[in-house]
Amino acid sequence: MIILGIETSCDDTAAAVCHNGEIISSFVSSQDIHTAFGGVVPEIASREHEKYLSIAVSEVVRQADIQIRDLDAVAVTRGPGLMGALLTGVSFAQGLASGLEILCIGVDHIEAHIFANIISRQEFIYPFLCLLISGGHTQIWRVDGLRCYQLLGETRDDAAGEAFDKGARILGLSYPGGPAIEKASKGGDEFAVDFPQAFLKSNDIEFSFSGLKTALLNYVHHQGKEYVRKHLKDIAASYQWAIVHILLSKLLQSVELTGIRSVAIGGGVAANMRLRSLSKEMLTGYNVLFPKKNLCTDNAEMVAFLAEKYLEAGFDDDTDIKVVPNLRLSS
Ligand code: KG4
Ligand code: ZN
């Protein structure tokens, strides 16, 4: 089976081809244009997707050394994400599939992030826990199989990626904030500033990052620009520590609560190297998996791969694709 995946939920225009469980080509065009605005501008994102979609698809078909007619299905992200961006991808996918007279399959972006962990790891066994940390989500899922998910906990307000993005903006760093804070924190003292970690002492699987962002804002106002510039690496390292430490503390609590010893970490924040190194210290003895770095952030490999899993399981019911910007993965 040869499936073309398309991903346009936010500011990455991505396409990939999956052939019998193997990714044979992949392309991502990240929209750097948003950096100048300090965040994603929805209108611009849709227009950029329109510009680059056909280039992305031609490129993955060429890389895969196939003809477009060889495709058996087109898979596309239908939510959650930005309305215009999603609509651009879904319209393109539906047009292509209808021209080729093949199936068009709508995929849940969050479910795809979970399954990014399984690409190239067919031996992966259920159940496992998934810490899903992106620009819009911070959740811990129990995964018992395809479409068998239970939400153990999530954030009450900002997502972990959003905390990185807003923190970077406060510190005068560029967008996206995660890589910028990670870079700025190199060689910094993680314990220089004691930033708050909400719910650290509670047994509940819950997150909140809005207080952390306010604490950083107050700290910066109090210390002044010159002090912040001089101590940037310590402040960035302490802020990053507050985020990665609370994420892993809650994941550890979830492991202890459920007795499930396999965990997967996915979404853009999973690309963070401090999170990866700290997970080795905090979750020793557990089976901890991260996707390859390029599969943490948005990509179409996970879309094509998950669609193939749907088809293998006989779920080809989603031909009338509805775009749902606030789509929630059902528990
Ligand atoms: O999964 P993703 O690409 O898009 C969404 O579905 O939201 O995640 C994007 C988020 C952004 O907030 C970005 O700052 C964060 O992932 N991110 C990182 C890193 N790379 C991307 N956060 C921390 N460290 C990184 N290295
Ligand atoms: Zn994502």
Side-chain angles (χ1 to χ4, degrees):
M1 201 180 310
I2 305 183
I3 301 180
L4 169 71
I6 290 175
E7 156 65 39
T8 62
S9 64
C10 191
D11 58 343
D12 293 302
T13 313
V17 176
C18 181
H19 180 209
N20 295 338
E22 293 288 319
I23 301 299
I24 56 170
S25 62
S26 180
F27 178 88
V28 182
S29 166
S30 296
Q31 305 177 357
D32 298 334
I33 188 168
H34 302 284
T35 309
F37 301 93
V40 178
V41 183
E43 282 275 323
I44 297 179
S46 314
R47 255 185 277 139
E48 291 289 296
H49 288 312
E50 252 176 56
K51 239 195 266 174
Y52 289 107
L53 260 173
S54 53
I55 296 170
V57 170
S58 308
E59 179 59 22
V60 293
V61 166
R62 189 192 61 76
Q63 273 178 28
D65 200 18
I66 57 168
Q67 302 296 315
I68 196 100
R69 296 232 149 258
D70 296 332
L71 295 174
D72 295 301
V74 182
V76 61
T77 305
R78 70 181 190 96
L82 302 170
M83 175 62 114
L86 290 165
L87 270 173
T88 311
V90 168
S91 315
F92 182 94
Q94 281 180 318
L96 181 61
S98 118
L100 294 170
E101 297 180 323
I102 56 177
L103 258 183
C104 192
I105 304 157
V107 165
D108 183 308
H109 182 73
I110 296 306
E111 196 178 10
H113 269 305
I114 294 175
F115 275 79
N117 275 284
I118 304 181
I119 298 177
S120 325
R121 284 195 190 116
Q122 304 295 349
E123 80 287 1
F124 211 85
I125 39 157
Y126 301 109
F128 63 90
L129 299 184
C130 183
L131 171 65
L132 193 107
I133 38 181
S134 69
H137 293 77
T138 297
Q139 301 174 322
I140 298 181
W141 290 93
R142 176 190 166 121
V143 182
D144 284 285
L146 187 62
R147 292 201 182 163
C148 295
Y149 316 117
Q150 188 193 347
L151 184 62
L152 300 184
E154 65 181 329
T155 182
R156 282 192 186 186
D157 41 55
D158 292 351
E162 207 175 344
F164 271 111
D165 294 337
K166 289 178 175 170
R169 194 192 273 234
I170 294 168
L171 292 172
L173 299 171
S174 60
Y175 176 86
I181 288 188
E182 182 173 359
K183 192 168 166 219
S185 70
K186 289 266 150 55
D189 174 5
E190 299 184 320
F191 305 109
V193 191
D194 186 18
F195 285 120
Q197 296 180 43
F199 306 121
L200 184 62
K201 299 261 169 349
S202 120
N203 288 330
D204 297 332
I205 308 298
E206 257 190 299
F207 301 92
S208 167
F209 291 102
S210 60
L212 170 65
K213 175 195 62 193
T214 309
L216 177 67
L217 192 64
N218 290 339
Y219 182 83
V220 166
H221 280 158
H222 183 73
Q223 299 290 357
K225 269 194 181 147
E226 190 50 30
Y227 181 92
V228 170
R229 197 186 54 74
K230 248 174 131 179
H231 297 86
L232 183 62
K233 68 179 177 190
D234 293 338
I235 302 167
S238 303
Y239 188 78
Q240 174 174 263
W241 166 263
I243 300 175
V244 300
H245 183 257
I246 191 64
L247 289 171
L248 293 172
S249 301
K250 290 294 162 186
L251 184 57
L252 183 60
Q253 269 181 25
S254 309
V255 165
E256 286 165 352
L257 191 78
T258 58
I260 295 174
R261 306 184 63 83
S262 285
V263 301
I265 305 185
V269 180
N272 186 277
M273 293 313 288
R274 186 60 185 120
L275 179 85
R276 288 176 180 234
S277 63
L278 190 62
S279 75
K280 292 203 180 89
E281 294 167 37
M282 290 181 67
L283 290 151
T284 29
Y286 298 106
N287 181 24
V288 184
L289 290 175
F290 284 90
K292 283 190 289 171
K293 260 184 117 174
N294 65 314
L295 294 183
C296 293
T297 43
D298 290 346
N299 65 86
E301 298 184 32
M302 61 188 191
V303 176
F305 181 80
L306 177 59
E308 193 178 274
K309 294 267 168 247
Y310 284 177
L311 290 179
E312 276 169 14
F315 304 145
D316 58 356
D317 50 347
D318 212 1
T319 44
D320 176 24
I321 300 172
K322 285 189 188 66
V323 166
V324 185
N326 57 355
L327 187 63
R328 273 193 66 91
L329 191 57
S330 47
S331 340

